[in-house]
Amino acid sequence: MCRNTATPRVEVSREPGPVLVDGPRSTWTRPPRCPCPDCITSPSPPGDTQLSTSKARGAGIASFVGTSIEWYDFYIYGTASALVFGKLFFPEASPTAGVMASFATFWVGFLARPLGGVVFGHLGDRIGRKGTLITTLLLMGGATTLVGVLPTYASVGMAAPALLAALRLVQGIAVGGEWGGAVLIAAEHAGPKRIFYAAFAQQGSPAGSILATGMFALVSLLPDDAFRSYGWRIPFLASAVLLVIGLVIRLRVEESPEFVRMREQREVAKLPVAEVLRTAWPLVLLGIGASGVGIASAYFTNTFILSWATTDLGIAKGTMLNVLLVVSVVQFVTQPVGAVLGQRWGAAKFMLAAFTVLIVMTPVTFLLVGTGSAPLATLGLALSIVFGGSSYAALAGFLAEAFPARVRYTGISLSYQLCGALIGGTTPLIAQALLTWSGSIWLVVAQYIVIILLTMACVAGLRHRAAVAAKAGPVTTAV
């Protein structure tokens, strides 16, 4: 009972698990405002701070712009790995071995992402979301620009691939801290509509892919000698301009209202990663699996299929880049539908339905791409990306709701970035190895379907924990 009123004080569960269940609409349960110690120390639900729609929209747009730039930087490396890095940095290897070696440096970025998640998750949960995001943007933009001036193997020998791997490492650390903060800066301004506004950060992935693929499509118009000499550097050097734009926008964003509330009430975790591993490690494991399709699908499309189509199927490099550009536009246009439906129907329910259709679409996609026809490849990839992309839109808010605010940055960053290291970064490497070993694309199809099934199981597991947590304490919202 509250000391200052006769109204029973509303208890809010401190359980580290998710506090949401599938339902048609979001509702918020608020404790009464009161200065007594009982009420001050009682945590309020995530939507306690209600901002205007315009502020929520502004935070979402800023999150979208920042993640677009970061993903552009990350994707141009993957595209360059498939098209040119093997020849420039591993020239003594066979064409297939050169591609696999470039994919291995590509994976280095994914291995570094969990480290970035831990470091910047700690900073984001301790000192705030905004400052952390500015740091990650500077790191990513700087590393990407330096790749554009990197000497090749012909100039400095083995130092060239070593420097390339080192810069990829910095990229991985930066993006490892970026994603979680971008999701939270949007979601924590949004109150009960966090599934929808968290998806603004997810729009950065297709937007970055459009920018990266479009840039490489333009420079691929150069003669081959010019492309290998200086053309491939242009997309990396352009990152310096995007970095300035991103900084201007990001500096104008206000700190997350939920973090401000925690800081005022002295609820900030002292060592977030230790608290997550002690109290919420099952959520991290389930979060890793639940992120599988969202991360792996992009690298099946933008990296492995690009290499397969241009190396084995005979589709011209410029043509295939145009195919991927169209597919990225399709994803950008259709992905917000997943955010709307995830907000309305429940994120888990919608994601599971989308994954079910994606299982059916996967063999169709690879069959159509395997024809060697650019129009059919476009159709096949578009069919796949509609369902994979729409589920990706709902993923951000789904994971954000799974962790308590005091360790949310660390929790979702660890889940997403460990998935990147274990599943995303290995996707093109394993797919290329399976294709080389078997000579058939069907083992690659099986690889993708296994990832989809794993993702479905983990999404269902997180939803189950949400239902259990909801029965144990008050329900604060519905996903």
Side-chain angles (χ1 to χ4, degrees):
M1 189 78 71
C2 176
R3 299 181 186 181
N4 295 333
T5 70
T7 305
R9 183 166 59 88
V10 178
E11 296 293 339
V12 181
S13 173
R14 289 182 180 268
E15 188 70 25
V19 289
L20 25 119
V21 293
D22 279 336
R25 293 188 180 276
S26 297
T27 57
W28 296 92
T29 303
R30 301 172 178 274
R33 287 284 187 176
C34 175
C36 80
D38 286 341
C39 292
I40 289 176
T41 57
S42 176
S44 54
D48 188 62
T49 304
Q50 293 293 319
L51 295 183
S52 67
T53 301
S54 61
K55 284 191 175 184
R57 187 182 299 116
I61 291 172
S63 177
F64 161 68
V65 172
T67 54
S68 297
I69 295 169
E70 295 255 1
W71 284 120
Y72 165 82
D73 290 347
F74 209 69
Y75 283 145
I76 57 174
Y77 191 102
T79 305
S81 294
L83 296 178
V84 72
F85 278 172
K87 299 172 184 176
L88 294 177
F89 292 92
F90 307 96
E92 296 184 354
S94 67
T96 299
V99 169
M100 292 190 68
S102 65
F103 283 169
T105 64
F106 176 72
W107 186 26
V108 166
F110 285 91
L111 291 176
R113 282 167 65 165
L115 175 60
V118 170
V119 172
F120 291 109
H122 173 84
L123 294 175
D125 282 329
R126 285 286 297 159
I127 65 175
R129 317 319 196 191
K130 178 179 175 178
T132 303
L133 286 173
I134 291 171
T135 304
T136 61
L137 187 64
L138 286 169
L139 275 178
M140 176 63 90
T144 304
T145 303
L146 287 175
V147 172
V149 297
L150 200 63
T152 63
Y153 185 93
S155 300
V156 296
M158 287 303 297
L163 290 170
L164 182 68
L167 290 174
R168 182 60 174 175
L169 189 74
V170 175
Q171 274 194 329
I173 291 172
V175 82
E178 162 70 20
W179 182 83
V183 167
L184 296 186
I185 207 74
E188 292 180 348
H189 276 86
K193 293 186 176 180
R194 64 178 58 205
I195 297 296
F196 177 76
Y197 281 103
F200 277 56
Q202 303 296 73
Q203 281 297 98
S205 179
S209 180
I210 290 169
L211 290 173
T213 308
M215 184 66 79
F216 265 99
L218 287 175
V219 298
S220 70
L221 297 176
L222 294 168
D224 284 346
D225 289 344
F227 177 76
R228 285 194 297 268
S229 174
Y230 66 87
W232 68 271
R233 299 179 184 274
I234 295 173
F236 291 92
L237 296 174
S239 178
V241 178
L242 297 177
L243 173 61
V244 174
I245 296 171
L247 278 176
V248 170
I249 294 173
R250 192 154 277 183
L251 285 168
R252 295 179 179 178
V253 179
E254 296 181 9
E255 181 57 271
S256 157
E258 289 191 42
F259 181 81
V260 171
R261 177 189 62 78
M262 288 190 300
R263 184 168 56 197
E264 291 173 349
Q265 298 183 3
R266 298 184 178 181
E267 295 178 358
V268 175
K270 292 183 178 180
L271 191 59
V273 66
E275 186 168 330
V276 165
L277 296 178
R278 185 179 69 254
T279 64
W281 60 268
L283 298 180
V284 172
L285 293 179
L286 290 171
I288 291 170
S291 305
V293 170
I295 293 178
S297 62
Y299 301 106
F300 265 115
T301 302
N302 288 19
T303 306
F304 170 73
I305 287 182
L306 175 59
S307 175
W308 176 48
T310 56
T311 302
D312 298 339
L313 302 180
I315 302 178
K317 176 178 58 184
T319 301
M320 195 61 198
L321 286 171
N322 288 330
V323 168
L324 295 182
L325 181 59
V326 172
V327 172
S328 295
V329 172
V330 171
Q331 181 183 1
F332 185 80
V333 172
T334 59
Q335 187 168 282
V337 176
V340 174
L341 295 179
Q343 181 71 50
R344 181 172 298 178
W345 295 349
K349 186 184 300 182
F350 171 74
M351 291 167 70
L352 290 172
F355 293 147
T356 301
V357 180
L358 186 59
I359 289 175
V360 178
M361 288 293 103
T362 296
V364 176
T365 294
F366 280 89
L367 281 172
L368 291 174
V369 175
T371 63
S373 164
L376 291 178
T378 304
L379 175 62
L381 290 170
L383 288 172
S384 178
I385 208 66
V386 164
F387 299 99
S390 60
S391 66
Y392 182 70
L395 173 66
F398 179 67
L399 287 182
E401 291 280 23
F403 292 88
R406 58 189 275 116
V407 293
R408 187 174 291 146
Y409 200 141
T410 302
I412 69 171
S413 294
L414 272 178
S415 297
Y416 193 81
Q417 307 309 342
L418 283 171
C419 179
L422 298 173
I423 298 177
T426 61
T427 290
L429 190 63
I430 293 174
Q432 184 64 50
L434 290 173
L435 179 62
T436 302
W437 175 72
S438 68
S440 169
I441 200 62
W442 290 109
L443 283 182
V444 180
V445 173
Q447 176 195 1
Y448 195 17
I449 290 176
V450 167
I451 291 173
I452 297 171
L453 292 173
L454 171 66
T455 304
M456 293 179 72
C458 291
V459 168
L462 275 178
R463 181 172 65 169
H464 174 71
R465 285 188 61 88
V468 172
K471 291 178 181 178
V475 178
T476 57
T477 188
V479 175

